Amino acid sequence: MLGQRAAAIAALSRPAKGAGRLVLATAEAALQRLPPPDAWPDVALVIETGTLYDEETWRKRLIAGGYILDERIDEPGEAAFRGSVVEIFPGNADRPVRCDIVDGRVARIRTFDPASQRSTGDCNRITVHPVTEIPAAPEIVARLIQGLESRRDPIAAGLAEELAAGRRPYAFERLLPLAYDRLPSVLELLADSPVVIDEGVGDRLEARFDDLEEADASAMHLDRNAWETGLRGRAVLTLEPGGQASSSEPPAVSERTLPRLAGERIAAGESVIIAAANAADAARMAERVAAATGRPVPVLDRWPVDGPPATPAALVLRVAAGFTFDGVTVLAQRPRPEGGAGPAAPLAPVDLSCNDLAVHLDYGIGAVRGLDTVEAGGQPEDVLVMEYARENRLLVPAADLDRVWRYGSSDARVALDGLKGGNWITRRAELEREIGRTAKSLVRQAKRRTRTKAPVIAPPAGPMRRVAARFPYEETAGQRRAISAVMAELASGRPMDHLVCADVGYGKTEVALRAAAAVAFTGRQVAVLAPTSVLARQHLEVFRRRLAGLGLRIEPLTGGMAASAAKTVREGLADGSVAIAVGTHALLSKTVRFADLALVVVDEEQRFGTVQKRALARLSIGVHCLALSATPVPRTLQGALAGLRGVSVIDTPPVRRRPVRTRVAPYAPSVLRSALMREKARGGQSFCVAPRIADLPALEAEVRALAPGLSVAVAHGRLPVAELDQVMVDVAEGTVDVLVSTPIIETGIDIPRANTIVIRRPDLFGLGQLHQLRGRVGRGGTQAYAYLLTDPDTPLGERTERRLGSLEAIESLGGGFALSLLDLDQRGAGDLLGTDQSGHLRLVGTELYQHLLARALAGAETDDSPELRLGVPQTIPAAYLPEEELRIGLHRRLSRLRDEAAVEPLREEIEDRFGPLPEEVELLLAVAALRARCRRLGVAALAAGPSGVSLTLNDTPCRAVREAALERLWTGQVRRTDDRLVFALGADGPSEILDNARALLDQLPPVGTA
C-alpha cells in the first residue's frame, strides 16, 4: 500500500499531462498529510532493457526506498540478488519482475508469479517506486537524526547505520513530521480542483475525526477544521444515498468463460468492451476474444470521450462486475488471486477417493474401488465400482451417485456389508425411525421458539451509521449478508438464535459488535462471553474503541478480576448502568443479575463445557442469542436444519488477505533462526508455540540464544491475570518481537504485524487447533508463514503425517471448513453429538446422517430423485479430466443438483478450471438440468431414446388430470403402458433425444393442476 501511495506522490510531483488529473482516495487517505512533492527525493529506480547494471548502486537505491533484501520474493517491497538474476517486487505493481543481467546490462525483464515462480510475460521498462514515505536519502536521514536528538530519543544513535543496512525501527513511518519541514494534504496539492464526496464518506470522515481527536494525531492528519478549511472556496459535490443500482450484466467472470460470453453478446449484435485488471490481462483477453469471435479486438488506452468506442475492444478497467454504459456492454474479467490460485475447491461436499468407505442407501457400507466406463443401451456410461463383503462388487451408475455417501477414510475400522441378506435394510430402517423421532423433537422445539416473544430491537439510525463508519476495513460480501440477517432477526420480535460461521480472521467479531451496539442503543443490556480471559480482553478493547463517545458503559467480568472490581461491575449490571459486559464464564455465575438483558453473544461456543452450556441455556431464556464459530459441527448444523437456529456463513476473505504459506519439517535450529530473523527484517512479529507450559522455558532459552537481538516475551494460562494482560499489551504495541506461548493464543489474538508462527511438536495438536493457530498470523495483508516443526527424534505415524500434510495442502483462505471435515474424518466424531447421535453417526457417517436428518425434518419419507434412462453418453472423458477423484466428485455434484439455475454456474466453474467443455460434459449438464426439472414437475421416471420418450408421474391427486392434458396435446402420438405414457418421437442423435424430452416437459402442467 505504501508503494502505491509513493507512486501517487511521485505522480503529483510532476505537472499534469493531457486532459487533467483524477485522484481517487479513501476518506482515511484524504485526511493523511503527505511528503511535499518538491522535497521528494529522486530515489525511484527506472529499469529498462539495456540499462547498465551496478549491483552496489541498485542495492543502495532499493534499501533507501524501503525495500527488504531477502532470499525469496513474496510480496511488494522485497528484492533478491542472485548473481546474474535480480528479482524485485515493486510496491505499486501487481506482480514481481525478474531482470536477467548479461555483460553488465539488463538483457530481459520478465514478470512472474511469486507462488509458482513461473514467468508470466515480458516488459521493456519498469519504475521501482519507494515503499516508504521516508526514503533514506542523506538529507532526510540527517533531518530525522536532528529531530530525534532534540527529543532525546534513543533511536537517534545508530539510526543512519541501521537504515543503511535495511533495518527500519518499528513505527518508522510515524516519524514523517521530523523528516520534512511541512506536510501538505492532498487538498493543498490540488488547490483549485473540485471534490466529489461519495455516498457514505461523510460518516467515515466523522468517525475518523473522532479517532484522530482522541489520539491527538493532528501532526500527520487533517482535523475537522483543517478539512473544512480545505474545502472552502471550491466546488464540492456530495453524492446522496440512492436506490440500489440494478444491472443485468454478470459479475466478473473467469478468463476461460469470458471469451464464450463475449462471443454470445457480439453475435447478438451488442457492442462489447472487455474490462481487465492490468495491461497484460487486457492484451491476453483481447487475443482470446479475437480467436473466439474471428474479429479484431484492439486494446484501448482509455475510454473515448469524444464518442462511443469501436467494439469489440479491451480496456484496463478495474471493476467488480459488468455493466452497461452509453449502449456498450462491459464484461469484467475476474482477477486471478494474488500468490497463485491455490488449491482448487473440491467439486463435491467431501471428496470421495479410491479406497474410501462409502454408504449406498440401498446396500450399506462398501469400499470405493474406482470409476469405470461400461456400455449401457449402446452408449458409454461411467459407473462407480464398490466392493462389499466376500469381495462382491456393485456397479453404481454415475447418475445414481446421489445415493452414495462418504463414510470415512480407509483408516476407519468397520466391517463391510454384504450385498445379499437384509442386515443393512434392517439397520437403516431402525436408524431412520430414531432420526425421525429426533426430527420431531427438534421441530417441536422450533415451533415453541416461534411462539416465544422477545424485545424488538430497532436502534436509532444515526449512532448505528457512526459505528459502521468506524469499521476500518471494507465490509466483505459475507459480512454484509451476516449483519443484515442478524439485524432482521433482532427486529423480528422472536428470540434470535443465530450462528455466524466464518473462518479464522474473516470478521465474525464485527457482526457481534454491530448486534451488541444495536441492542445497547435501545437501552437494553448485552453479555459477550469468551472461553478465555485473553480473548475476553481482546473483545473488550475492540468494543471500547469502536463504541467510544457513544454513551455506552462497557465493562469486563472475568474470574481473575479483583473482588472489588468484580463487585462494581455486578452492581452496574444489576442497576442497568453497564450496557455491555464482556467476560468469561464468570458472567454465568448465579451472583450476576442483569437489569434488562436482551442479547447474549457467545464466541467459540464449542469451547464451553457442559456445565457452562447449561448455565448459558438458563441465561438465554427469552433473550436474543448470537454464537460465533470457525468450525461448525454437525450438532450445530442440526439445529439450523430444524429452523431452531439461523445460520450465516461468511465465506468471503477480507480484502488483501492472503493464504498462510505452511511448511512441515523436522526441527532444526537454522530453520527457527531463519524464520524469526526474516520476520524481524520485514518489520513484523513472530509467535513460537509449544503444546505444554513445561516446554516453554527450553523454547524461550532457545529463541534467546538463536536470536539474541530480538525482544522475547512469554505467555501461558497460569500467569497472573495482570501479568498476562501486560504481555499482550506489549505484543500489541509492538515492543515484543517474539511471543513464546502455549496455545492460549489460538483464539482472539489479533496482532496485524504478526506474520510468522513457529509451532513445535505439531503432532500433539488437532487439525482444527493447528488451523486456529495458523490463523493468528497474516491478518494485516502481509504474506504470512507457518512452520510446523516436528521432533526429529520422534518418527511420525502414517495418520499423523497425513493429518499434518492436510495443512500444507489446504492453505487456501476459507480452508477451516475443509480441515474440520478432515479432522472429523481422520480422528472420529467423538462426543460432538451426544451419545445417541454419535452412535448414529458411527453407523452411517457424517454425510448420510445429515442427509437423513434433513429429509426427516422436511417430512419426506423417501428420496425424490427421479429415475432417468436416456439414450445418450453419460461419461466424463479421462482425456479431459485425468484425475479419477475429480471425475467422481463432478459426477456426485451433478447427481445432487436440485435446481436448474445451478447448472450454468457449475458449467462456468468446470470451464474455468479445466478448459472448454467436450460434448460429453455438455450432455451431462443437460441431463442434470432435465433431472432437476423432473423433480420440480413431479416426474418419477423419464426414459428417452431414438424412437420415443416415456414418462411416469408421481402418484399425486392431480396425476390423472395432468396425464389427460398431455394425451390431448399429443393425440395420435401417445399410448398408455401400465403407469407410463409413451410418446412416439423419433430422434437422430443425443441432442435430438434431449430436445424431445425437453419439449415434452415444456407442455407438462405443473403439480397442483386441477
Side-chain angles (χ1 to χ4, degrees), residues 4 202 247 380 528 557 575 651 670 923:
Q4 293 173 351
S247 173
V528 181
L557 187 61
D575 63 25
D651 53 4
S670 59
L923 289 173

Side-chain angles (χ1 to χ4, degrees), residues 397-655:
D400 292 343
L401 286 186
D402 60 337
R403 302 187 69 76
V404 177
W405 302 84
R406 191 174 190 278
Y407 181 90
S409 67
S410 56
D411 293 331
R413 294 175 175 82
V414 62
L416 302 183
D417 283 305
L419 288 177
K420 298 178 181 179
N423 184 33
W424 161 251
I425 297 299
T426 303
R427 287 177 14 238
R428 174 183 151 187
E430 175 59 28
L431 173 65
E432 288 179 334
R433 283 194 293 273
E434 289 294 329
I435 290 178
R437 286 193 282 270
T438 300
K440 288 178 181 177
S441 173
L442 290 171
V443 171
R444 282 196 298 271
Q445 291 180 49
K447 288 180 177 177
R448 280 199 300 271
R449 192 166 186 84
T450 59
R451 292 193 294 267
T452 306
K453 301 296 182 185
V456 175
I457 304 301
M464 288 302 296
R465 275 204 312 271
R466 291 186 67 184
V467 172
R470 288 180 176 181
F471 186 46
Y473 310 104
E474 185 72 24
E475 292 170 7
T476 65
Q479 280 182 311
R480 286 194 292 272
R481 289 194 302 267
I483 291 169
S484 177
V486 168
M487 292 303 175
E489 288 200 42
L490 287 173
S492 69
R494 294 187 301 273
M496 175 182 75
D497 189 2
H498 199 92
L499 171 70
V500 177
C501 299
D503 211 343
V504 181
Y506 270 41
K508 301 182 293 293
T509 303
E510 182 62 21
V511 181
L513 187 142
R514 302 279 181 97
V519 171
F521 286 144
T522 65
R524 295 178 171 88
Q525 292 174 298
V526 179
V528 181
L529 285 91
T532 66
S533 59
V534 172
L535 180 52
R537 171 63 180 264
Q538 186 98 31
H539 285 329
L540 178 69
E541 291 175 354
V542 171
F543 275 61
R544 280 181 167 171
R545 182 176 67 251
R546 290 286 304 285
L547 302 178
L550 297 177
L552 301 177
R553 183 182 169 192
I554 305 169
E555 297 291 351
L557 187 61
T558 62
M561 287 177 62
S564 58
K567 181 184 177 186
T568 302
V569 174
R570 286 196 296 268
E571 290 171 351
L573 291 173
D575 63 25
S577 60
V578 173
I580 301 175
V582 182
T584 58
H585 59 275
L587 280 169
L588 303 175
S589 169
K590 293 180 180 179
T591 62
V592 176
R593 296 285 185 272
F594 289 86
D596 188 8
L597 181 65
L599 173 66
V600 175
V601 178
V602 185
D603 197 5
E604 299 296 338
E605 181 187 34
Q606 73 277 5
R607 291 170 59 89
F608 285 87
T610 305
V611 174
Q612 284 85 15
K613 286 184 177 177
R614 281 200 292 266
L616 265 173
R618 288 195 302 270
L619 184 65
S620 305
I621 295 173
V623 304
H624 298 290
C625 298
L626 178 63
L628 313 177
S629 175
T631 51
V633 294
R635 187 186 189 99
T636 301
L637 298 179
Q638 183 174 298
L641 289 171
L644 283 173
R645 314 188 80 162
V647 175
S648 296
V649 177
I650 302 177
D651 53 4
T652 318
V655 176

